[in-house]
Amino acid sequence: MKAQRNAAGRGNGPPADGPSRKDLTHDRIVGTAARAICRSGYDGTGVADIMKEAGLTHGGFYAHFPSRTALLAEAADRAGADSTERLRRVVEGLPAAKALDALVDHYLSDAHLKATELGCPLAALACDTPRQAPEVRAAVTQRLNETLDLVAQLLPGRSKADARTQAMAVLSCLVGAMALARAADDPKLSRALRRACRQSLQQRLG
């Protein structure tokens, strides 16, 4: 698909080895939609609003996507990929003993609490995703597995199977704590939920 878009854009515009104008526009729409679904949920994300936020006309949507579902699937994929990459940057270069603590602290931070549209889509959309189309759920599942793989790499000294199981427990705790912390309208309760998650993980993992 991308190769075809590149080929179509070679007549005028950027060099052949760079992204075409259509590619760049497509990328801008997907990035806008990725932020929008985390901010407003899948059902609160309309095509017209996304195109307007991206600085484009509604009529240009179908030049890039066959359907709203196709856009949501790409947006879910982008949101998950961006989130995993942010977590990778948090732990990059740290020894394993400190990397997991750094990831947990980052995930449970006040900054992440407030940054819904730029934060982890699992915490923002986990309860909404089961009601989405198979294409959307498949994209979320792929990125979920990548995040689990990242967390498992921060749990050395275990078998592959045990590290995977522990990563599931860690991520489940983090996602659940952040989702509840955002749901609560009591700042003290929000902080307590995240603190309890951190303490539970410390006791579980040492």
Side-chain angles (χ1 to χ4, degrees), residues 82-138:
D82 288 350
S83 176
T84 303
E85 181 58 29
R86 282 191 292 271
L87 293 178
R88 282 199 181 96
R89 290 198 296 267
V90 167
V91 302
E92 188 175 11
L94 294 176
K98 295 183 178 180
L100 184 59
D101 285 342
L103 185 146
V104 169
D105 287 344
H106 167 81
Y107 200 99
L108 299 175
S109 66
D110 290 339
H112 187 208
L113 180 80
K114 297 173 183 176
T116 305
E117 70 174 38
L118 295 175
C120 175
L122 297 172
L125 297 166
C127 292
D128 199 10
T129 301
R131 295 185 289 273
Q132 303 311 306
E135 303 95 311
V136 177
R137 297 188 68 188

Coordinates of all heavy atoms in Angstrom, one line a residue, residues 82-138:
D82 N 3.6 4.0 19.4 CA 4.2 5.2 20.0 C 4.3 5.0 21.5 O 5.4 5.4 22.1 CB 3.3 6.4 19.8 CG 3.3 6.9 18.3 OD1 4.2 6.4 17.6 OD2 2.5 7.8 18.0
S83 N 3.4 4.4 22.2 CA 3.4 4.1 23.6 C 4.6 3.2 23.9 O 5.4 3.4 24.9 CB 2.1 3.5 24.1 OG 2.2 3.2 25.5
T84 N 4.7 2.1 23.2 CA 5.8 1.2 23.4 C 7.2 1.8 23.2 O 8.1 1.6 24.0 CB 5.7 -0.1 22.5 OG1 4.4 -0.7 22.8 CG2 6.7 -1.1 22.8
E85 N 7.2 2.7 22.2 CA 8.5 3.3 21.9 C 8.9 4.3 23.1 O 10.0 4.4 23.4 CB 8.4 4.1 20.6 CG 9.7 4.8 20.2 CD 10.9 3.9 20.1 OE1 10.8 2.7 19.8 OE2 12.0 4.4 20.4
R86 N 7.9 5.0 23.6 CA 8.1 5.9 24.8 C 8.7 5.1 25.9 O 9.6 5.5 26.6 CB 6.9 6.6 25.1 CG 6.5 7.8 24.2 CD 5.5 8.7 24.8 NE 4.2 8.0 24.8 CZ 3.3 8.0 23.8 NH1 3.6 8.7 22.7 NH2 2.1 7.4 23.9
L87 N 8.1 3.9 26.2 CA 8.6 3.1 27.3 C 10.0 2.6 27.0 O 10.8 2.5 28.0 CB 7.6 1.9 27.5 CG 6.2 2.2 28.0 CD1 5.4 1.0 28.1 CD2 6.3 2.9 29.4
R88 N 10.3 2.3 25.8 CA 11.6 1.8 25.4 C 12.6 2.9 25.7 O 13.7 2.7 26.2 CB 11.7 1.5 24.0 CG 11.2 0.1 23.6 CD 11.7 -0.4 22.3 NE 11.2 -1.7 21.9 CZ 10.1 -1.9 21.2 NH1 9.5 -0.9 20.6 NH2 9.7 -3.1 20.9
R89 N 12.3 4.2 25.4 CA 13.2 5.3 25.7 C 13.4 5.5 27.2 O 14.5 5.9 27.6 CB 12.6 6.6 25.0 CG 12.7 6.6 23.5 CD 12.6 8.0 22.9 NE 11.3 8.6 23.2 CZ 10.3 8.5 22.4 NH1 10.4 7.9 21.2 NH2 9.1 9.1 22.7
V90 N 12.4 5.3 28.0 CA 12.5 5.4 29.4 C 13.5 4.5 30.0 O 14.3 4.8 30.9 CB 11.1 5.2 30.1 CG1 11.3 5.0 31.6 CG2 10.2 6.3 29.8
V91 N 13.6 3.2 29.5 CA 14.5 2.2 30.1 C 15.8 2.1 29.3 O 16.7 1.3 29.7 CB 13.8 0.9 30.1 CG1 12.5 1.0 31.0 CG2 13.5 0.3 28.7
E92 N 15.9 2.8 28.2 CA 17.1 2.6 27.3 C 18.4 2.9 28.1 O 18.5 4.0 28.7 CB 17.0 3.5 26.1 CG 18.1 3.3 25.1 CD 17.8 4.2 23.8 OE1 17.0 5.1 23.9 OE2 18.5 3.9 22.8
G93 N 19.3 2.0 28.1 CA 20.6 2.2 28.7 C 20.7 1.9 30.2 O 21.8 2.0 30.8
L94 N 19.6 1.6 30.8 CA 19.5 1.3 32.2 C 19.8 -0.1 32.5 O 19.3 -1.0 31.7 CB 18.2 1.7 32.8 CG 17.8 3.2 32.8 CD1 16.4 3.4 33.4 CD2 18.8 4.0 33.6
P95 N 20.5 -0.5 33.5 CA 20.6 -1.9 33.9 C 19.3 -2.4 34.3 O 18.4 -1.7 34.7 CB 21.6 -1.8 35.1 CG 21.4 -0.5 35.7 CD 21.2 0.4 34.5
A96 N 19.1 -3.7 34.1 CA 17.8 -4.4 34.3 C 17.3 -4.1 35.7 O 16.0 -3.9 35.9 CB 17.9 -5.9 34.1
A97 N 18.1 -4.0 36.7 CA 17.7 -3.8 38.1 C 17.0 -2.5 38.3 O 16.1 -2.3 39.1 CB 18.9 -3.9 39.0
K98 N 17.4 -1.5 37.5 CA 16.8 -0.1 37.6 C 15.8 0.1 36.5 O 14.9 1.0 36.7 CB 17.9 0.9 37.5 CG 18.9 0.9 38.7 CD 19.9 2.0 38.5 CE 20.9 2.0 39.7 NZ 21.9 3.1 39.6
A99 N 15.8 -0.6 35.4 CA 15.0 -0.3 34.3 C 13.5 -0.5 34.6 O 12.6 0.3 34.2 CB 15.4 -1.2 33.1
L100 N 13.2 -1.6 35.3 CA 11.8 -1.9 35.6 C 11.3 -0.8 36.6 O 10.1 -0.4 36.4 CB 11.6 -3.3 36.2 CG 10.2 -3.7 36.5 CD1 9.4 -3.7 35.2 CD2 10.2 -5.1 37.2
D101 N 12.0 -0.4 37.5 CA 11.6 0.6 38.5 C 11.3 1.9 37.7 O 10.4 2.6 38.0 CB 12.7 0.9 39.5 CG 12.7 -0.2 40.6 OD1 11.7 -0.9 40.7 OD2 13.7 -0.3 41.3
A102 N 12.2 2.2 36.7 CA 12.0 3.4 35.9 C 10.7 3.4 35.1 O 10.0 4.3 35.0 CB 13.2 3.6 35.0
L103 N 10.5 2.2 34.5 CA 9.3 2.0 33.7 C 8.0 2.2 34.6 O 7.1 2.9 34.2 CB 9.3 0.7 33.0 CG 8.1 0.4 32.1 CD1 8.6 -0.5 30.9 CD2 6.9 -0.3 32.8
V104 N 8.0 1.5 35.8 CA 6.9 1.6 36.7 C 6.7 3.1 37.2 O 5.5 3.6 37.2 CB 7.1 0.7 37.9 CG1 6.1 1.0 39.0 CG2 7.0 -0.8 37.5
D105 N 7.8 3.7 37.5 CA 7.6 5.1 38.0 C 7.1 6.0 36.9 O 6.2 6.9 37.1 CB 9.0 5.7 38.5 CG 9.4 5.1 39.8 OD1 8.5 4.5 40.5 OD2 10.6 5.2 40.1
H106 N 7.6 5.8 35.7 CA 7.1 6.6 34.5 C 5.6 6.3 34.3 O 4.8 7.3 34.1 CB 7.9 6.3 33.3 CG 7.3 6.8 32.0 ND1 7.4 8.1 31.6 CD2 6.5 6.2 31.1 CE1 6.8 8.3 30.5 NE2 6.2 7.1 30.1
Y107 N 5.2 5.1 34.3 CA 3.8 4.7 34.0 C 2.9 5.3 35.0 O 1.8 5.7 34.7 CB 3.7 3.2 33.9 CG 2.4 2.8 33.1 CD1 2.5 2.4 31.8 CD2 1.2 2.8 33.7 CE1 1.4 2.0 31.1 CE2 0.1 2.4 33.0 CZ 0.2 2.0 31.7 OH -1.0 1.7 31.0
L108 N 3.2 5.3 36.3 CA 2.4 5.7 37.4 C 2.5 7.2 37.7 O 1.9 7.6 38.7 CB 2.6 4.8 38.6 CG 2.4 3.3 38.4 CD1 2.8 2.6 39.7 CD2 0.9 3.0 38.1
S109 N 3.2 7.9 37.0 CA 3.5 9.3 37.3 C 2.3 10.2 37.1 O 1.4 9.9 36.4 CB 4.7 9.8 36.4 OG 4.3 9.8 35.0
D110 N 2.4 11.4 37.7 CA 1.4 12.4 37.5 C 1.4 12.8 36.0 O 0.3 13.1 35.5 CB 1.7 13.6 38.4 CG 1.5 13.4 39.9 OD1 0.7 12.4 40.2 OD2 2.0 14.1 40.7
A111 N 2.5 12.9 35.4 CA 2.6 13.3 34.0 C 1.8 12.4 33.1 O 1.0 12.8 32.2 CB 4.0 13.4 33.5
H112 N 2.0 11.1 33.3 CA 1.2 10.1 32.5 C -0.3 10.2 32.9 O -1.1 10.0 32.0 CB 1.7 8.7 32.8 CG 1.1 7.7 31.9 ND1 1.0 6.4 32.2 CD2 0.6 7.8 30.6 CE1 0.5 5.7 31.2 NE2 0.2 6.5 30.3
L113 N -0.6 10.4 34.1 CA -2.0 10.5 34.5 C -2.7 11.6 33.7 O -3.8 11.4 33.3 CB -2.1 10.8 36.0 CG -3.5 11.0 36.6 CD1 -4.1 9.6 36.9 CD2 -3.5 11.8 37.9
K114 N -2.0 12.7 33.5 CA -2.6 13.9 32.9 C -2.6 13.8 31.3 O -3.4 14.4 30.6 CB -2.0 15.1 33.3 CG -2.1 15.4 34.8 CD -1.3 16.6 35.2 CE -1.4 16.8 36.8 NZ -0.5 17.9 37.2
A115 N -1.6 13.0 30.8 CA -1.4 12.9 29.4 C -2.2 11.8 28.7 O -1.6 10.9 28.1 CB 0.1 12.8 29.1
T116 N -3.5 11.8 28.8 CA -4.3 10.7 28.3 C -4.1 10.5 26.8 O -3.9 9.4 26.4 CB -5.8 11.0 28.6 OG1 -6.0 11.3 30.0 CG2 -6.6 9.8 28.2
E117 N -4.1 11.6 26.1 CA -4.1 11.4 24.6 C -2.7 11.1 24.1 O -2.5 10.6 23.0 CB -4.6 12.7 23.9 CG -3.7 13.9 24.0 CD -4.2 15.0 23.1 OE1 -5.4 15.2 23.0 OE2 -3.4 15.7 22.5
L118 N -1.6 11.3 24.9 CA -0.3 10.9 24.6 C 0.2 9.7 25.4 O 1.4 9.4 25.3 CB 0.7 12.1 24.7 CG 0.4 13.2 23.7 CD1 1.3 14.4 24.0 CD2 0.5 12.8 22.3
G119 N -0.6 9.2 26.2 CA -0.2 8.1 27.1 C -0.5 6.7 26.6 O -0.7 6.5 25.4
C120 N -0.4 5.7 27.5 CA -0.7 4.4 27.1 C -2.1 4.1 26.6 O -3.0 4.4 27.4 CB -0.3 3.4 28.2 SG -0.6 1.7 27.9
P121 N -2.3 3.7 25.4 CA -3.7 3.4 25.0 C -4.4 2.3 25.7 O -5.6 2.2 25.7 CB -3.6 3.2 23.5 CG -2.2 2.6 23.3 CD -1.4 3.4 24.4
L122 N -3.6 1.4 26.3 CA -4.2 0.3 27.0 C -5.0 0.8 28.2 O -6.1 0.4 28.5 CB -3.1 -0.7 27.5 CG -2.3 -1.4 26.4 CD1 -1.2 -2.2 27.0 CD2 -3.3 -2.3 25.6
A123 N -4.4 1.8 28.9 CA -5.1 2.3 30.1 C -6.3 3.2 29.6 O -7.3 3.3 30.4 CB -4.1 3.2 30.9
A124 N -6.2 3.8 28.5 CA -7.2 4.7 28.0 C -8.4 3.9 27.4 O -9.5 4.4 27.4 CB -6.7 5.7 27.0
L125 N -8.1 2.8 26.8 CA -9.1 2.2 25.9 C -9.4 0.7 26.1 O -10.1 0.1 25.4 CB -8.6 2.3 24.4 CG -8.5 3.7 23.9 CD1 -7.6 3.8 22.6 CD2 -9.8 4.3 23.7
A126 N -8.8 0.1 27.2 CA -8.9 -1.3 27.4 C -10.4 -1.8 27.5 O -10.8 -2.8 26.9 CB -8.2 -1.8 28.6
C127 N -11.2 -1.0 28.2 CA -12.6 -1.4 28.4 C -13.4 -1.1 27.1 O -14.5 -1.7 26.9 CB -13.2 -0.6 29.5 SG -12.5 -1.1 31.1
D128 N -13.0 -0.2 26.2 CA -13.7 0.1 25.0 C -13.3 -0.8 23.8 O -14.1 -1.0 22.9 CB -13.3 1.6 24.7 CG -14.3 2.2 23.7 OD1 -15.4 1.6 23.5 OD2 -14.0 3.3 23.2
T129 N -12.1 -1.4 23.9 CA -11.6 -2.2 22.7 C -12.5 -3.4 22.4 O -12.7 -3.7 21.2 CB -10.2 -2.5 23.0 OG1 -9.4 -1.3 23.1 CG2 -9.6 -3.3 21.8
P130 N -13.0 -4.2 23.4 CA -13.7 -5.4 23.1 C -14.9 -5.1 22.2 O -15.4 -6.1 21.5 CB -14.2 -5.9 24.5 CG -13.1 -5.4 25.4 CD -12.8 -4.0 24.9
R131 N -15.5 -3.9 22.2 CA -16.6 -3.6 21.4 C -16.3 -3.2 19.9 O -17.1 -2.8 19.2 CB -17.5 -2.5 22.0 CG -18.1 -3.0 23.4 CD -19.0 -1.9 23.9 NE -18.2 -0.7 24.4 CZ -17.7 -0.6 25.6 NH1 -17.9 -1.6 26.5 NH2 -17.1 0.4 26.0
Q132 N -15.0 -3.1 19.6 CA -14.5 -2.7 18.3 C -14.5 -3.8 17.3 O -14.5 -5.0 17.6 CB -13.2 -2.0 18.5 CG -13.2 -0.8 19.5 CD -14.4 0.2 19.2 OE1 -14.5 0.7 18.1 NE2 -15.2 0.4 20.3
A133 N -14.3 -3.4 16.0 CA -14.2 -4.3 14.9 C -12.9 -5.2 15.1 O -11.9 -4.8 15.7 CB -14.1 -3.6 13.6
P134 N -12.9 -6.4 14.5 CA -11.8 -7.3 14.6 C -10.5 -6.7 14.2 O -9.4 -7.0 14.7 CB -12.2 -8.5 13.6 CG -13.7 -8.5 13.6 CD -14.1 -7.0 13.7
E135 N -10.5 -5.8 13.1 CA -9.3 -5.2 12.7 C -8.6 -4.3 13.8 O -7.4 -4.2 13.9 CB -9.5 -4.3 11.4 CG -10.1 -5.0 10.3 CD -11.6 -4.9 10.2 OE1 -12.3 -5.1 11.3 OE2 -12.2 -4.6 9.1
V136 N -9.5 -3.6 14.5 CA -9.0 -2.7 15.6 C -8.5 -3.6 16.7 O -7.4 -3.3 17.2 CB -10.2 -1.8 16.1 CG1 -9.7 -1.0 17.3 CG2 -10.7 -0.9 15.0
R137 N -9.2 -4.6 17.1 CA -8.7 -5.5 18.2 C -7.4 -6.2 17.8 O -6.6 -6.4 18.7 CB -9.8 -6.5 18.5 CG -11.1 -5.9 19.0 CD -12.1 -6.9 19.5 NE -11.6 -7.6 20.7 CZ -12.1 -8.7 21.3 NH1 -13.2 -9.2 20.8 NH2 -11.6 -9.2 22.4
A138 N -7.3 -6.6 16.5 CA -6.0 -7.2 16.1 C -4.9 -6.3 16.3 O -3.8 -6.7 16.7 CB -6.2 -7.7 14.7

